[in-house]
Amino acid sequence: MNRCPICTAKIADHKLMCWPHWDMVPAQQQEQVLGLWKTTLRGPNPSIRRLAMQEYKLARAAAIALVKEKVGA
């Protein structure tokens, strides 16, 4: 189990944040984060998977920052 980076609620290892906070991320941004994550796992070759991981980390950080800003954390 991991902790939500916003509220420290316990979350499954494969989750980015708890459901209430994830729900605060706009749908288009959620799709971007999830799409990049899937590419890191199933990309057609190692270089694409590495690039997707770099982009995923940026998208993940942006989603976390957005929610922290919304809740004043």
Short mmCIF file of all heavy atoms in Angstrom, two decimals:
data_model
loop_
_atom_site.label_atom_id
_atom_site.label_comp_id
_atom_site.label_asym_id
_atom_site.label_seq_id
_atom_site.Cartn_x
_atom_site.Cartn_y
_atom_site.Cartn_z
N MET A 1 0.84 -1.18 0.00
CA MET A 1 0.00 0.00 0.00
C MET A 1 0.89 1.25 0.00
O MET A 1 1.91 1.30 0.66
CB MET A 1 -0.90 0.04 1.23
CG MET A 1 -1.95 -1.05 1.32
SD MET A 1 -3.20 -0.97 0.06
CE MET A 1 -4.40 0.08 0.82
N ASN A 2 0.45 2.22 -0.74
CA ASN A 2 1.09 3.53 -0.77
C ASN A 2 0.20 4.54 -0.08
O ASN A 2 -0.89 4.21 0.37
CB ASN A 2 1.34 3.97 -2.22
CG ASN A 2 2.45 3.19 -2.88
OD1 ASN A 2 3.44 2.85 -2.25
ND2 ASN A 2 2.29 2.90 -4.15
N ARG A 3 0.65 5.77 -0.06
CA ARG A 3 -0.14 6.86 0.51
C ARG A 3 -0.43 7.88 -0.58
O ARG A 3 0.41 8.15 -1.43
CB ARG A 3 0.64 7.56 1.64
CG ARG A 3 0.95 6.64 2.80
CD ARG A 3 -0.02 6.87 3.89
NE ARG A 3 0.25 5.96 5.00
CZ ARG A 3 -0.65 5.68 5.89
NH1 ARG A 3 -1.83 6.22 5.83
NH2 ARG A 3 -0.37 4.87 6.87
N CYS A 4 -1.61 8.46 -0.54
CA CYS A 4 -1.97 9.53 -1.46
C CYS A 4 -1.03 10.71 -1.22
O CYS A 4 -0.79 11.08 -0.07
CB CYS A 4 -3.43 9.95 -1.22
SG CYS A 4 -3.95 11.38 -2.20
N PRO A 5 -0.49 11.31 -2.28
CA PRO A 5 0.44 12.42 -2.08
C PRO A 5 -0.25 13.71 -1.62
O PRO A 5 0.42 14.67 -1.25
CB PRO A 5 1.05 12.60 -3.47
CG PRO A 5 0.05 12.05 -4.41
CD PRO A 5 -0.62 10.94 -3.67
N ILE A 6 -1.57 13.70 -1.59
CA ILE A 6 -2.31 14.89 -1.16
C ILE A 6 -2.71 14.78 0.31
O ILE A 6 -2.46 15.69 1.09
CB ILE A 6 -3.59 15.10 -2.01
CG1 ILE A 6 -3.36 14.91 -3.51
CG2 ILE A 6 -4.25 16.43 -1.68
CD1 ILE A 6 -2.32 15.77 -4.14
N CYS A 7 -3.33 13.65 0.67
CA CYS A 7 -3.92 13.54 2.01
C CYS A 7 -3.33 12.39 2.84
O CYS A 7 -3.73 12.20 3.96
CB CYS A 7 -5.42 13.37 1.90
SG CYS A 7 -5.92 11.80 1.14
N THR A 8 -2.46 11.63 2.30
CA THR A 8 -1.84 10.46 2.92
C THR A 8 -2.80 9.30 3.20
O THR A 8 -2.47 8.41 3.97
CB THR A 8 -1.03 10.81 4.20
OG1 THR A 8 -1.92 11.17 5.25
CG2 THR A 8 -0.02 11.91 3.94
N ALA A 9 -3.97 9.28 2.58
CA ALA A 9 -4.85 8.11 2.68
C ALA A 9 -4.14 6.92 2.06
O ALA A 9 -3.34 7.07 1.13
CB ALA A 9 -6.17 8.37 1.95
N LYS A 10 -4.41 5.73 2.55
CA LYS A 10 -3.82 4.53 1.97
C LYS A 10 -4.45 4.27 0.61
O LYS A 10 -5.67 4.35 0.45
CB LYS A 10 -4.04 3.33 2.88
CG LYS A 10 -3.23 3.40 4.15
CD LYS A 10 -3.45 2.16 4.99
CE LYS A 10 -2.64 2.25 6.28
NZ LYS A 10 -2.85 1.05 7.11
N ILE A 11 -3.60 3.97 -0.37
CA ILE A 11 -4.06 3.67 -1.72
C ILE A 11 -3.31 2.44 -2.23
O ILE A 11 -2.21 2.14 -1.78
CB ILE A 11 -3.86 4.86 -2.69
CG1 ILE A 11 -2.40 5.30 -2.74
CG2 ILE A 11 -4.76 6.02 -2.31
CD1 ILE A 11 -2.08 6.36 -3.78
N ALA A 12 -3.90 1.76 -3.19
CA ALA A 12 -3.25 0.59 -3.80
C ALA A 12 -1.98 1.04 -4.52
O ALA A 12 -1.86 2.18 -4.96
CB ALA A 12 -4.21 -0.07 -4.78
N ASP A 13 -1.04 0.13 -4.63
CA ASP A 13 0.25 0.43 -5.24
C ASP A 13 0.13 0.98 -6.66
O ASP A 13 0.95 1.77 -7.09
CB ASP A 13 1.14 -0.81 -5.25
CG ASP A 13 1.59 -1.21 -3.86
OD1 ASP A 13 1.58 -0.36 -2.95
OD2 ASP A 13 1.94 -2.38 -3.68
N HIS A 14 -0.89 0.56 -7.39
CA HIS A 14 -1.03 0.99 -8.78
C HIS A 14 -1.82 2.30 -8.94
O HIS A 14 -2.04 2.74 -10.06
CB HIS A 14 -1.69 -0.13 -9.62
CG HIS A 14 -3.08 -0.43 -9.20
ND1 HIS A 14 -3.36 -1.22 -8.10
CD2 HIS A 14 -4.25 -0.06 -9.71
CE1 HIS A 14 -4.67 -1.31 -7.97
NE2 HIS A 14 -5.24 -0.62 -8.93
N LYS A 15 -2.22 2.91 -7.85
CA LYS A 15 -2.99 4.16 -7.91
C LYS A 15 -2.06 5.36 -7.73
O LYS A 15 -1.06 5.30 -7.03
CB LYS A 15 -4.06 4.20 -6.81
CG LYS A 15 -5.07 3.08 -6.89
CD LYS A 15 -5.96 3.25 -8.08
CE LYS A 15 -7.02 2.16 -8.10
NZ LYS A 15 -7.89 2.25 -9.26
N LEU A 16 -2.44 6.48 -8.34
CA LEU A 16 -1.66 7.71 -8.22
C LEU A 16 -2.08 8.49 -6.98
O LEU A 16 -1.25 9.07 -6.29
CB LEU A 16 -1.86 8.58 -9.47
CG LEU A 16 -1.18 9.93 -9.48
CD1 LEU A 16 0.32 9.80 -9.30
CD2 LEU A 16 -1.48 10.67 -10.78
N MET A 17 -3.38 8.51 -6.70
CA MET A 17 -3.89 9.21 -5.52
C MET A 17 -5.23 8.60 -5.16
O MET A 17 -5.77 7.77 -5.90
CB MET A 17 -3.99 10.72 -5.77
CG MET A 17 -4.87 11.15 -6.91
SD MET A 17 -4.85 12.94 -7.28
CE MET A 17 -3.34 13.13 -8.19
N CYS A 18 -5.78 9.03 -4.03
CA CYS A 18 -7.07 8.50 -3.59
C CYS A 18 -8.17 8.96 -4.56
O CYS A 18 -8.00 9.94 -5.29
CB CYS A 18 -7.38 8.96 -2.16
SG CYS A 18 -7.63 10.74 -1.99
N TRP A 19 -9.27 8.24 -4.54
CA TRP A 19 -10.35 8.53 -5.48
C TRP A 19 -10.87 9.96 -5.36
O TRP A 19 -11.03 10.64 -6.38
CB TRP A 19 -11.49 7.52 -5.32
CG TRP A 19 -12.65 7.90 -6.18
CD1 TRP A 19 -13.86 8.36 -5.78
CD2 TRP A 19 -12.69 7.92 -7.61
NE1 TRP A 19 -14.65 8.65 -6.86
CE2 TRP A 19 -13.95 8.39 -8.01
CE3 TRP A 19 -11.77 7.60 -8.61
CZ2 TRP A 19 -14.32 8.53 -9.34
CZ3 TRP A 19 -12.15 7.75 -9.94
CH2 TRP A 19 -13.41 8.21 -10.28
N PRO A 20 -11.17 10.50 -4.16
CA PRO A 20 -11.69 11.87 -4.10
C PRO A 20 -10.74 12.90 -4.73
O PRO A 20 -11.19 13.84 -5.38
CB PRO A 20 -11.86 12.13 -2.60
CG PRO A 20 -12.03 10.77 -2.00
CD PRO A 20 -11.15 9.87 -2.83
N HIS A 21 -9.45 12.70 -4.56
CA HIS A 21 -8.50 13.65 -5.15
C HIS A 21 -8.32 13.39 -6.65
O HIS A 21 -8.22 14.33 -7.43
CB HIS A 21 -7.17 13.63 -4.41
CG HIS A 21 -7.28 14.29 -3.08
ND1 HIS A 21 -6.98 13.66 -1.90
CD2 HIS A 21 -7.71 15.54 -2.74
CE1 HIS A 21 -7.20 14.50 -0.90
NE2 HIS A 21 -7.65 15.64 -1.39
N TRP A 22 -8.29 12.14 -7.07
CA TRP A 22 -8.19 11.83 -8.49
C TRP A 22 -9.39 12.40 -9.23
O TRP A 22 -9.27 12.89 -10.36
CB TRP A 22 -8.09 10.32 -8.68
CG TRP A 22 -8.02 9.89 -10.12
CD1 TRP A 22 -8.94 9.15 -10.81
CD2 TRP A 22 -6.95 10.13 -11.06
NE1 TRP A 22 -8.54 8.94 -12.09
CE2 TRP A 22 -7.32 9.52 -12.28
CE3 TRP A 22 -5.74 10.80 -10.98
CZ2 TRP A 22 -6.51 9.57 -13.42
CZ3 TRP A 22 -4.93 10.85 -12.12
CH2 TRP A 22 -5.32 10.25 -13.31
N ASP A 23 -10.54 12.38 -8.59
CA ASP A 23 -11.77 12.90 -9.20
C ASP A 23 -11.68 14.41 -9.44
O ASP A 23 -12.43 14.95 -10.25
CB ASP A 23 -12.97 12.56 -8.31
CG ASP A 23 -14.29 12.70 -9.04
OD1 ASP A 23 -14.37 12.32 -10.23
OD2 ASP A 23 -15.26 13.18 -8.42
N MET A 24 -10.77 15.09 -8.78
CA MET A 24 -10.58 16.53 -8.96
C MET A 24 -9.73 16.85 -10.20
O MET A 24 -9.68 18.00 -10.65
CB MET A 24 -9.91 17.14 -7.72
CG MET A 24 -10.76 17.03 -6.47
SD MET A 24 -9.88 17.57 -5.00
CE MET A 24 -10.12 19.33 -5.13
N VAL A 25 -9.06 15.85 -10.75
CA VAL A 25 -8.25 16.02 -11.95
C VAL A 25 -9.19 16.00 -13.15
O VAL A 25 -10.01 15.09 -13.28
CB VAL A 25 -7.19 14.89 -12.07
CG1 VAL A 25 -6.39 15.03 -13.34
CG2 VAL A 25 -6.28 14.88 -10.84
N PRO A 26 -9.11 16.99 -14.03
CA PRO A 26 -9.98 17.00 -15.22
C PRO A 26 -9.83 15.72 -16.04
O PRO A 26 -8.74 15.13 -16.13
CB PRO A 26 -9.49 18.22 -16.01
CG PRO A 26 -8.82 19.09 -15.00
CD PRO A 26 -8.22 18.15 -13.99
N ALA A 27 -10.93 15.30 -16.65
CA ALA A 27 -10.96 14.03 -17.39
C ALA A 27 -9.88 13.95 -18.45
O ALA A 27 -9.23 12.91 -18.61
CB ALA A 27 -12.34 13.83 -18.02
N GLN A 28 -9.65 15.02 -19.19
CA GLN A 28 -8.63 15.00 -20.25
C GLN A 28 -7.24 14.77 -19.65
O GLN A 28 -6.43 14.03 -20.20
CB GLN A 28 -8.66 16.30 -21.04
CG GLN A 28 -7.72 16.30 -22.22
CD GLN A 28 -7.83 17.58 -23.04
OE1 GLN A 28 -8.47 18.55 -22.64
NE2 GLN A 28 -7.19 17.59 -24.18
N GLN A 29 -6.99 15.37 -18.50
CA GLN A 29 -5.69 15.19 -17.84
C GLN A 29 -5.57 13.77 -17.29
O GLN A 29 -4.50 13.16 -17.35
CB GLN A 29 -5.51 16.23 -16.74
CG GLN A 29 -4.10 16.36 -16.24
CD GLN A 29 -3.93 17.56 -15.31
OE1 GLN A 29 -4.88 18.27 -14.99
NE2 GLN A 29 -2.70 17.77 -14.87
N GLN A 30 -6.66 13.23 -16.76
CA GLN A 30 -6.65 11.84 -16.30
C GLN A 30 -6.30 10.90 -17.46
O GLN A 30 -5.48 10.00 -17.31
CB GLN A 30 -8.02 11.44 -15.75
CG GLN A 30 -8.38 12.04 -14.43
CD GLN A 30 -9.75 11.58 -13.95
OE1 GLN A 30 -10.44 10.81 -14.62
NE2 GLN A 30 -10.16 12.07 -12.80
N GLU A 31 -6.92 11.12 -18.60
CA GLU A 31 -6.67 10.27 -19.77
C GLU A 31 -5.21 10.36 -20.21
O GLU A 31 -4.61 9.36 -20.59
CB GLU A 31 -7.59 10.68 -20.92
CG GLU A 31 -9.04 10.33 -20.68
CD GLU A 31 -9.97 10.90 -21.73
OE1 GLU A 31 -9.50 11.34 -22.80
OE2 GLU A 31 -11.19 10.91 -21.49
N GLN A 32 -4.64 11.57 -20.14
CA GLN A 32 -3.24 11.74 -20.51
C GLN A 32 -2.33 10.94 -19.58
O GLN A 32 -1.45 10.21 -20.03
CB GLN A 32 -2.86 13.21 -20.48
CG GLN A 32 -1.40 13.44 -20.82
CD GLN A 32 -0.94 14.87 -20.55
OE1 GLN A 32 -1.49 15.55 -19.69
NE2 GLN A 32 0.05 15.31 -21.29
N VAL A 33 -2.56 11.07 -18.27
CA VAL A 33 -1.73 10.36 -17.29
C VAL A 33 -1.86 8.85 -17.50
O VAL A 33 -0.85 8.14 -17.56
CB VAL A 33 -2.14 10.76 -15.85
CG1 VAL A 33 -1.46 9.87 -14.82
CG2 VAL A 33 -1.82 12.23 -15.58
N LEU A 34 -3.08 8.37 -17.62
CA LEU A 34 -3.28 6.93 -17.79
C LEU A 34 -2.71 6.42 -19.11
O LEU A 34 -2.11 5.34 -19.15
CB LEU A 34 -4.77 6.60 -17.70
CG LEU A 34 -5.40 6.80 -16.32
CD1 LEU A 34 -6.91 6.62 -16.39
CD2 LEU A 34 -4.79 5.86 -15.31
N GLY A 35 -2.88 7.18 -20.17
CA GLY A 35 -2.35 6.77 -21.46
C GLY A 35 -0.83 6.66 -21.45
O GLY A 35 -0.26 5.71 -21.99
N LEU A 36 -0.19 7.64 -20.83
CA LEU A 36 1.27 7.60 -20.74
C LEU A 36 1.73 6.42 -19.89
O LEU A 36 2.71 5.75 -20.22
CB LEU A 36 1.81 8.92 -20.19
CG LEU A 36 1.75 10.10 -21.16
CD1 LEU A 36 1.96 11.41 -20.43
CD2 LEU A 36 2.76 9.92 -22.27
N TRP A 37 1.02 6.17 -18.80
CA TRP A 37 1.38 5.03 -17.95
C TRP A 37 1.28 3.72 -18.73
O TRP A 37 2.17 2.88 -18.67
CB TRP A 37 0.51 4.99 -16.70
CG TRP A 37 0.82 3.80 -15.85
CD1 TRP A 37 0.02 2.74 -15.58
CD2 TRP A 37 2.06 3.53 -15.17
NE1 TRP A 37 0.67 1.83 -14.79
CE2 TRP A 37 1.93 2.29 -14.52
CE3 TRP A 37 3.26 4.22 -15.05
CZ2 TRP A 37 2.94 1.74 -13.76
CZ3 TRP A 37 4.28 3.65 -14.30
CH2 TRP A 37 4.11 2.43 -13.66
N LYS A 38 0.20 3.57 -19.47
CA LYS A 38 0.03 2.34 -20.26
C LYS A 38 1.15 2.19 -21.29
O LYS A 38 1.62 1.08 -21.53
CB LYS A 38 -1.34 2.34 -20.94
CG LYS A 38 -2.47 2.12 -19.96
CD LYS A 38 -3.81 2.20 -20.65
CE LYS A 38 -4.94 2.05 -19.64
NZ LYS A 38 -6.26 2.19 -20.26
N THR A 39 1.57 3.31 -21.87
CA THR A 39 2.66 3.25 -22.85
C THR A 39 3.96 2.83 -22.19
O THR A 39 4.77 2.14 -22.81
CB THR A 39 2.80 4.59 -23.58
OG1 THR A 39 1.56 4.93 -24.19
CG2 THR A 39 3.88 4.53 -24.65
N THR A 40 4.18 3.25 -20.94
CA THR A 40 5.41 2.83 -20.25
C THR A 40 5.43 1.32 -20.05
O THR A 40 6.50 0.72 -19.99
CB THR A 40 5.59 3.51 -18.87
OG1 THR A 40 4.61 3.03 -17.96
CG2 THR A 40 5.54 5.01 -18.98
N LEU A 41 4.25 0.72 -19.96
CA LEU A 41 4.16 -0.73 -19.74
C LEU A 41 4.14 -1.52 -21.04
O LEU A 41 4.67 -2.63 -21.11
CB LEU A 41 2.90 -1.06 -18.93
CG LEU A 41 2.79 -0.43 -17.55
CD1 LEU A 41 1.43 -0.75 -16.95
CD2 LEU A 41 3.91 -0.90 -16.65
N ARG A 42 3.48 -0.96 -22.07
CA ARG A 42 3.22 -1.74 -23.29
C ARG A 42 3.71 -1.07 -24.55
O ARG A 42 3.27 -1.42 -25.65
CB ARG A 42 1.71 -1.97 -23.42
CG ARG A 42 1.13 -2.74 -22.29
CD ARG A 42 -0.35 -2.99 -22.52
NE ARG A 42 -1.00 -3.03 -21.22
CZ ARG A 42 -2.05 -2.33 -20.87
NH1 ARG A 42 -2.62 -1.53 -21.73
NH2 ARG A 42 -2.56 -2.43 -19.67
N GLY A 43 4.58 -0.09 -24.43
CA GLY A 43 5.09 0.59 -25.62
C GLY A 43 5.76 -0.39 -26.56
O GLY A 43 6.27 -1.43 -26.13
N PRO A 44 5.81 -0.06 -27.86
CA PRO A 44 6.33 -1.00 -28.86
C PRO A 44 7.82 -1.29 -28.76
O PRO A 44 8.28 -2.30 -29.26
CB PRO A 44 5.99 -0.33 -30.18
CG PRO A 44 5.82 1.11 -29.87
CD PRO A 44 5.31 1.17 -28.46
N ASN A 45 8.57 -0.39 -28.09
CA ASN A 45 9.99 -0.66 -27.95
C ASN A 45 10.54 0.10 -26.73
O ASN A 45 9.88 1.00 -26.21
CB ASN A 45 10.76 -0.31 -29.23
CG ASN A 45 10.69 1.15 -29.58
OD1 ASN A 45 11.04 2.01 -28.78
ND2 ASN A 45 10.22 1.45 -30.78
N PRO A 46 11.72 -0.27 -26.26
CA PRO A 46 12.27 0.34 -25.04
C PRO A 46 12.43 1.86 -25.11
O PRO A 46 12.20 2.55 -24.12
CB PRO A 46 13.62 -0.35 -24.87
CG PRO A 46 13.47 -1.65 -25.56
CD PRO A 46 12.57 -1.37 -26.73
N SER A 47 12.81 2.40 -26.26
CA SER A 47 13.01 3.85 -26.33
C SER A 47 11.69 4.60 -26.19
O SER A 47 11.63 5.64 -25.53
CB SER A 47 13.74 4.25 -27.61
OG SER A 47 12.98 3.90 -28.75
N ILE A 48 10.64 4.07 -26.75
CA ILE A 48 9.32 4.69 -26.61
C ILE A 48 8.84 4.57 -25.17
O ILE A 48 8.27 5.50 -24.61
CB ILE A 48 8.31 4.10 -27.61
CG1 ILE A 48 8.68 4.59 -29.01
CG2 ILE A 48 6.88 4.48 -27.25
CD1 ILE A 48 7.80 4.11 -30.11
N ARG A 49 9.09 3.43 -24.53
CA ARG A 49 8.69 3.26 -23.14
C ARG A 49 9.46 4.22 -22.23
O ARG A 49 8.88 4.80 -21.31
CB ARG A 49 8.90 1.81 -22.70
CG ARG A 49 7.89 0.87 -23.36
CD ARG A 49 7.90 -0.51 -22.74
NE ARG A 49 9.15 -1.21 -22.91
CZ ARG A 49 9.43 -2.00 -23.94
NH1 ARG A 49 8.55 -2.20 -24.89
NH2 ARG A 49 10.61 -2.61 -24.00
N ARG A 50 10.75 4.44 -22.50
CA ARG A 50 11.54 5.40 -21.70
C ARG A 50 11.02 6.82 -21.88
O ARG A 50 10.88 7.56 -20.91
CB ARG A 50 13.01 5.33 -22.08
CG ARG A 50 13.76 4.19 -21.42
CD ARG A 50 15.26 4.33 -21.58
NE ARG A 50 15.69 4.35 -22.97
CZ ARG A 50 15.92 3.27 -23.71
NH1 ARG A 50 15.76 2.07 -23.19
NH2 ARG A 50 16.32 3.37 -24.95
N LEU A 51 10.74 7.20 -23.10
CA LEU A 51 10.20 8.53 -23.37
C LEU A 51 8.84 8.70 -22.69
O LEU A 51 8.57 9.73 -22.07
CB LEU A 51 10.08 8.76 -24.87
CG LEU A 51 9.51 10.11 -25.30
CD1 LEU A 51 10.37 11.26 -24.77
CD2 LEU A 51 9.40 10.19 -26.82
N ALA A 52 8.01 7.68 -22.77
CA ALA A 52 6.70 7.74 -22.13
C ALA A 52 6.85 7.88 -20.61
O ALA A 52 6.08 8.60 -19.98
CB ALA A 52 5.87 6.50 -22.47
N MET A 53 7.84 7.22 -20.02
CA MET A 53 8.05 7.33 -18.58
C MET A 53 8.43 8.75 -18.20
O MET A 53 7.94 9.28 -17.21
CB MET A 53 9.13 6.34 -18.10
CG MET A 53 9.41 6.42 -16.61
SD MET A 53 7.94 6.18 -15.55
CE MET A 53 7.80 4.41 -15.57
N GLN A 54 9.28 9.39 -18.99
CA GLN A 54 9.65 10.78 -18.72
C GLN A 54 8.41 11.68 -18.79
O GLN A 54 8.19 12.53 -17.92
CB GLN A 54 10.71 11.26 -19.71
CG GLN A 54 12.04 10.59 -19.55
CD GLN A 54 12.99 10.89 -20.70
OE1 GLN A 54 12.62 11.49 -21.70
NE2 GLN A 54 14.23 10.46 -20.56
N GLU A 55 7.60 11.49 -19.82
CA GLU A 55 6.38 12.29 -19.98
C GLU A 55 5.37 11.97 -18.89
O GLU A 55 4.68 12.85 -18.40
CB GLU A 55 5.78 12.06 -21.36
CG GLU A 55 6.65 12.63 -22.48
CD GLU A 55 6.07 12.37 -23.86
OE1 GLU A 55 4.87 12.05 -23.96
OE2 GLU A 55 6.81 12.50 -24.83
N TYR A 56 5.28 10.69 -18.52
CA TYR A 56 4.37 10.29 -17.44
C TYR A 56 4.73 10.98 -16.14
O TYR A 56 3.86 11.49 -15.43
CB TYR A 56 4.38 8.77 -17.25
CG TYR A 56 3.73 8.35 -15.96
CD1 TYR A 56 2.34 8.38 -15.83
CD2 TYR A 56 4.49 7.96 -14.86
CE1 TYR A 56 1.74 8.02 -14.64
CE2 TYR A 56 3.88 7.60 -13.68
CZ TYR A 56 2.51 7.63 -13.57
OH TYR A 56 1.91 7.30 -12.39
N LYS A 57 6.02 11.03 -15.81
CA LYS A 57 6.44 11.68 -14.57
C LYS A 57 6.05 13.15 -14.55
O LYS A 57 5.62 13.66 -13.51
CB LYS A 57 7.94 11.51 -14.37
CG LYS A 57 8.34 10.09 -13.99
CD LYS A 57 9.84 9.94 -13.86
CE LYS A 57 10.24 8.52 -13.51
NZ LYS A 57 11.70 8.37 -13.40
N LEU A 58 6.17 13.81 -15.68
CA LEU A 58 5.76 15.22 -15.76
C LEU A 58 4.25 15.37 -15.62
O LEU A 58 3.75 16.24 -14.91
CB LEU A 58 6.24 15.84 -17.08
CG LEU A 58 7.74 15.99 -17.26
CD1 LEU A 58 8.07 16.45 -18.68
CD2 LEU A 58 8.31 16.96 -16.24
N ALA A 59 3.51 14.50 -16.31
CA ALA A 59 2.05 14.55 -16.25
C ALA A 59 1.55 14.22 -14.85
O ALA A 59 0.61 14.85 -14.34
CB ALA A 59 1.44 13.59 -17.27
N ARG A 60 2.18 13.24 -14.21
CA ARG A 60 1.83 12.87 -12.84
C ARG A 60 2.07 14.03 -11.89
O ARG A 60 1.21 14.38 -11.08
CB ARG A 60 2.65 11.65 -12.43
CG ARG A 60 2.43 11.22 -10.99
CD ARG A 60 3.34 10.07 -10.62
NE ARG A 60 4.73 10.53 -10.60
CZ ARG A 60 5.77 9.73 -10.48
NH1 ARG A 60 5.61 8.43 -10.40
NH2 ARG A 60 6.99 10.22 -10.45
N ALA A 61 3.23 14.67 -12.01
CA ALA A 61 3.56 15.81 -11.15
C ALA A 61 2.58 16.95 -11.37
O ALA A 61 2.17 17.62 -10.41
CB ALA A 61 4.99 16.26 -11.40
N ALA A 62 2.19 17.18 -12.61
CA ALA A 62 1.24 18.25 -12.91
C ALA A 62 -0.13 17.96 -12.29
O ALA A 62 -0.78 18.86 -11.74
CB ALA A 62 1.11 18.44 -14.42
N ALA A 63 -0.56 16.70 -12.35
CA ALA A 63 -1.86 16.33 -11.77
C ALA A 63 -1.83 16.50 -10.25
O ALA A 63 -2.77 17.03 -9.65
CB ALA A 63 -2.21 14.90 -12.14
N ILE A 64 -0.76 16.09 -9.62
CA ILE A 64 -0.63 16.22 -8.17
C ILE A 64 -0.60 17.70 -7.79
O ILE A 64 -1.28 18.12 -6.85
CB ILE A 64 0.62 15.48 -7.66
CG1 ILE A 64 0.42 13.96 -7.80
CG2 ILE A 64 0.93 15.84 -6.21
CD1 ILE A 64 1.67 13.13 -7.60
N ALA A 65 0.16 18.50 -8.53
CA ALA A 65 0.26 19.93 -8.23
C ALA A 65 -1.09 20.62 -8.39
O ALA A 65 -1.47 21.48 -7.57
CB ALA A 65 1.29 20.58 -9.14
N LEU A 66 -1.84 20.23 -9.40
CA LEU A 66 -3.16 20.81 -9.63
C LEU A 66 -4.08 20.56 -8.44
O LEU A 66 -4.74 21.47 -7.95
CB LEU A 66 -3.79 20.23 -10.91
CG LEU A 66 -5.22 20.65 -11.16
CD1 LEU A 66 -5.26 22.01 -11.83
CD2 LEU A 66 -5.93 19.61 -12.01
N VAL A 67 -4.11 19.31 -7.99
CA VAL A 67 -4.99 18.97 -6.86
C VAL A 67 -4.51 19.66 -5.59
O VAL A 67 -5.33 20.20 -4.82
CB VAL A 67 -5.10 17.44 -6.68
CG1 VAL A 67 -5.91 17.11 -5.44
CG2 VAL A 67 -5.71 16.81 -7.92
N LYS A 68 -3.22 19.70 -5.35
CA LYS A 68 -2.70 20.39 -4.16
C LYS A 68 -3.10 21.85 -4.18
O LYS A 68 -3.47 22.41 -3.14
CB LYS A 68 -1.18 20.25 -4.07
CG LYS A 68 -0.74 18.89 -3.58
CD LYS A 68 0.78 18.85 -3.40
CE LYS A 68 1.20 17.53 -2.75
NZ LYS A 68 2.64 17.49 -2.49
N GLU A 69 -3.05 22.46 -5.35
CA GLU A 69 -3.46 23.87 -5.47
C GLU A 69 -4.94 24.02 -5.17
O GLU A 69 -5.35 24.95 -4.46
CB GLU A 69 -3.14 24.38 -6.87
CG GLU A 69 -3.43 25.85 -7.05
CD GLU A 69 -3.08 26.35 -8.44
OE1 GLU A 69 -2.02 25.95 -8.96
OE2 GLU A 69 -3.87 27.12 -9.00
N LYS A 70 -5.75 23.10 -5.67
CA LYS A 70 -7.20 23.16 -5.45
C LYS A 70 -7.56 23.03 -3.98
O LYS A 70 -8.50 23.66 -3.51
CB LYS A 70 -7.92 22.06 -6.25
CG LYS A 70 -8.03 22.36 -7.71
CD LYS A 70 -8.85 21.27 -8.42
CE LYS A 70 -9.06 21.60 -9.86
NZ LYS A 70 -9.95 20.63 -10.53
N VAL A 71 -6.84 22.16 -3.26
CA VAL A 71 -7.18 21.93 -1.84
C VAL A 71 -6.36 22.79 -0.90
O VAL A 71 -6.55 22.75 0.31
CB VAL A 71 -7.05 20.44 -1.46
CG1 VAL A 71 -7.98 19.59 -2.29
CG2 VAL A 71 -5.62 19.95 -1.53
N GLY A 72 -5.42 23.56 -1.45
CA GLY A 72 -4.61 24.43 -0.62
C GLY A 72 -3.55 23.70 0.18
O GLY A 72 -3.17 24.14 1.26
N ALA A 73 -3.09 22.58 -0.36
CA ALA A 73 -2.07 21.80 0.34
C ALA A 73 -0.68 22.28 -0.02
O ALA A 73 -0.42 22.81 -1.04
CB ALA A 73 -2.22 20.33 0.01
#
